Amino acid sequence: MAMTSLHLKPPICTGTRSTRVPINVAAARACLSVDTNAADPLKAVVAVGSQEVMEAEQKVMVGTYKRPPLVVSSGKGCKLYDPEGREYLDLYSGIAVNSLGHGDPDWIRVVTEQAHTLTHVSNAFYSIPQVELAKRLVACSFADRVFFSNSGTEANEAAIKFARKFQRYSFPDKKEPATEFISFTNSFHGRTMGAVALTSKEHYRSPFEPVMPGVTFLEYGNIDAAGKLIQSGKIAAVFVEPIQGEGGVHSATKEFLQSLRGACDDSGSLLVFDEVQCGLGRTGYLWAHEAYGVVPDIMTLAKPLAGGLPIEAALVTEKVAASIKHGEHGSTFAGGPLICAAALAVLDKISKPEFLLSVSNKGQYFKELLTRKLGANPHVKEVRGFGLIVGVELDVSASTLVDACRNSGLLIITAGKGNVLRLVPPLIISKPELEHEADVLLECLPVLDASD
């Protein structure tokens, strides 16, 4: 075994379609039965129980999610609670989103104050929080300019468009400007039609084909293959995750990223780092690529930036920004005052050197702890990761272990081919909480024996 370092709401009270819908009195009362002033999440009065929520979901939601039988009604710090008051230690973080945990008081204060001031104006006008956030992101990164949207997949869609426009703008005399892309095995870049075309797993793409053409998937880490294809002159941009999350928590090598940078410089291709999951402090560095000393032309961010509210940022150099003109891309909701104020609150905390150092220290401690406690189990092949994005690779499916942990009050998520435990806790998690997580995993490991 190796170790690598590097509410739901009750039913809607009224409805309007082509005719007036009568008010459901019982449902209306249920809508008013939640105590929104309850400070203790366990004391909150919840109108419905877990089973009722799950049954209602089956009737009204499109079936895109295969959820476990858990309803989350509240959260505090690194803990989540269901309507019946059961407590869970959250190693999901909303899939690496809630870096400050649940209910951070400074975040709540900022969001509340901004909600009382201004929430949305669209991008037809200037707004102060948006400009302030862009200034901060530029000041603490390689970038010269920022584009905001709403999600990680939108960030990568923007990067696709920017890369193709850059090629046409920068090489106007070229008969056939570069329009193709390189992505890598185990990659995940989103679910919209461009971003999903960059995502390696076939089951994400095949039901919706044809997706965007012109994408070649190469082996993650294969320097020779990447260099050869980049030098062909057909590649508009190379998309790579410095640390793959969904793909199984795989870290790039410094040599690989350096080689991509050099080949892109020689050919005029752009280098795009997707840090949607691994960026903004999760590695113990503000940006994951800082650990490698390699700078991209475009970096995409999203998940943790606004502490659970939807925002993405595509950070770009001046040469990329210069190719984009008015009206060539945009978004109605992107970078609104409320969201940007929330993101400033997150960035204020996470960018502090002492906060980043704590993430690095806890990450190293966590990997050593997991190796010591779990390493002797024959099903555990490797503990790997960087900071607080940690993967535990198993030789069998992790689903039974995930279920057992959830029944024991621990929430974890899988990655890779379903055989990797992806551990992405809030960055504020304490060492005792990490120790508790390791203990629960150890206690639940025997369920894997039935999977042999």
Side-chain angles (χ1 to χ4, degrees), residues 358-407:
S358 75
V359 173
S360 181
N361 290 338
K362 286 185 290 191
Q364 185 62 35
Y365 175 77
F366 193 28
K367 290 196 291 291
E368 292 171 354
L369 180 68
L370 290 170
T371 301
R372 185 172 71 250
K373 287 183 174 286
L374 311 182
N377 189 287
H379 291 297
V380 177
K381 297 177 62 178
E382 185 180 20
V383 176
R384 57 178 179 256
F386 208 142
L388 286 174
I389 177 169
V390 177
V392 179
E393 184 175 353
L394 308 174
D395 66 351
V396 293
S397 169
S399 60
T400 57
L401 180 56
V402 169
D403 292 343
C405 287
R406 185 179 66 252
N407 293 335

Side-chain angles (χ1 to χ4, degrees), residues 379 446-452:
H379 291 297
V447 302
L448 294 176
D449 294 336
S451 302
D452 289 349

Side-chain angles (χ1 to χ4, degrees), residues 233-255:
K234 298 178 180 180
I235 304 303
V238 178
F239 280 73
V240 62
E241 299 156 279
I243 299 156
Q244 297 180 323
E246 171 73 17
V249 192
H250 299 288
S251 300
T253 65
K254 185 174 183 177
E255 293 73 20

Side-chain angles (χ1 to χ4, degrees), residues 55 266 271:
E55 291 174 356
D266 291 341
L271 181 59

Side-chain angles (χ1 to χ4, degrees), residues 25-80:
V25 176
R29 289 173 177 167
C31 286
L32 299 175
S33 65
V34 177
D35 179 6
T36 58
N37 295 314
D40 185 340
L42 292 175
K43 294 181 179 178
V45 179
V46 181
V48 292
S50 293
Q51 189 60 40
E52 184 179 351
V53 173
M54 291 186 285
E55 291 174 356
E57 189 268 355
Q58 296 294 314
K59 299 176 182 178
V60 297
M61 294 288 291
V62 176
T64 57
Y65 302 110
K66 186 179 180 181
R67 296 182 173 103
L70 171 63
V71 176
V72 177
S73 59
S74 61
K76 188 66 175 176
C78 297
K79 304 292 179 58
L80 290 172

Side-chain angles (χ1 to χ4, degrees), residues 36-273:
T36 58
N37 295 314
D40 185 340
L42 292 175
K43 294 181 179 178
V45 179
V46 181
V48 292
S50 293
Q51 189 60 40
E52 184 179 351
V53 173
M54 291 186 285
E55 291 174 356
E57 189 268 355
Q58 296 294 314
K59 299 176 182 178
V60 297
M61 294 288 291
V62 176
T64 57
Y65 302 110
K66 186 179 180 181
R67 296 182 173 103
L70 171 63
V71 176
V72 177
S73 59
S74 61
K76 188 66 175 176
C78 297
K79 304 292 179 58
L80 290 172
Y81 303 87
D82 68 12
E84 289 73 35
R86 288 182 287 260
E87 180 182 281
Y88 301 85
L89 180 60
D90 181 16
L91 270 288
Y92 254 81
S93 299
I95 313 181
V97 167
N98 301 311
S99 291
L100 299 182
H102 305 278
D104 178 82
D106 296 318
W107 183 89
I108 290 174
R109 174 183 53 79
V110 167
V111 170
T112 302
E113 290 175 356
Q114 187 61 47
H116 280 287
T117 304
L118 184 66
T119 300
H120 173 74
V121 294
S122 86
N123 282 294
F125 304 100
Y126 300 95
S127 72
I128 296 170
Q130 183 184 88
V131 175
E132 289 301 313
L133 178 59
K135 286 166 59 178
R136 287 286 306 279
L137 288 169
V138 165
C140 66
S141 75
F142 71 93
D144 301 302
R145 306 215 176 225
V146 180
F147 173 82
F148 291 117
S149 193
N150 309 288
S151 65
T153 192
E154 289 177 71
N156 287 318
E157 291 285 344
I160 290 169
K161 293 176 71 175
F162 292 175
R164 283 190 169 173
K165 181 62 193 304
F166 170 81
Q167 295 296 336
R168 287 176 169 81
Y169 176 85
S170 301
F171 306 99
D173 298 327
K174 195 172 182 179
K175 186 176 180 180
E176 294 184 5
T179 59
E180 298 183 14
F181 300 93
I182 292 175
S183 188
F184 295 94
T185 53
N186 301 312
S187 61
F188 182 86
H189 296 290
R191 297 176 185 269
T192 48
M193 293 300 277
V196 77
L198 296 167
T199 295
S200 65
K201 290 185 180 180
E202 282 194 29
H203 72 268
Y204 288 126
R205 302 193 318 271
S206 58
F208 311 105
E209 291 177 340
V211 296
M212 180 185 73
V215 179
T216 300
F217 293 101
L218 300 177
E219 181 186 6
Y220 189 68
N222 191 322
I223 293 174
D224 293 338
K228 182 177 180 180
L229 185 53
I230 293 169
Q231 294 300 332
S232 71
K234 298 178 180 180
I235 304 303
V238 178
F239 280 73
V240 62
E241 299 156 279
I243 299 156
Q244 297 180 323
E246 171 73 17
V249 192
H250 299 288
S251 300
T253 65
K254 185 174 183 177
E255 293 73 20
F256 176 52
L257 297 186
Q258 285 179 330
S259 72
L260 294 179
R261 177 71 277 172
C264 287
D265 288 340
D266 291 341
S267 69
S269 302
L270 295 180
L271 181 59
V272 183
F273 284 171

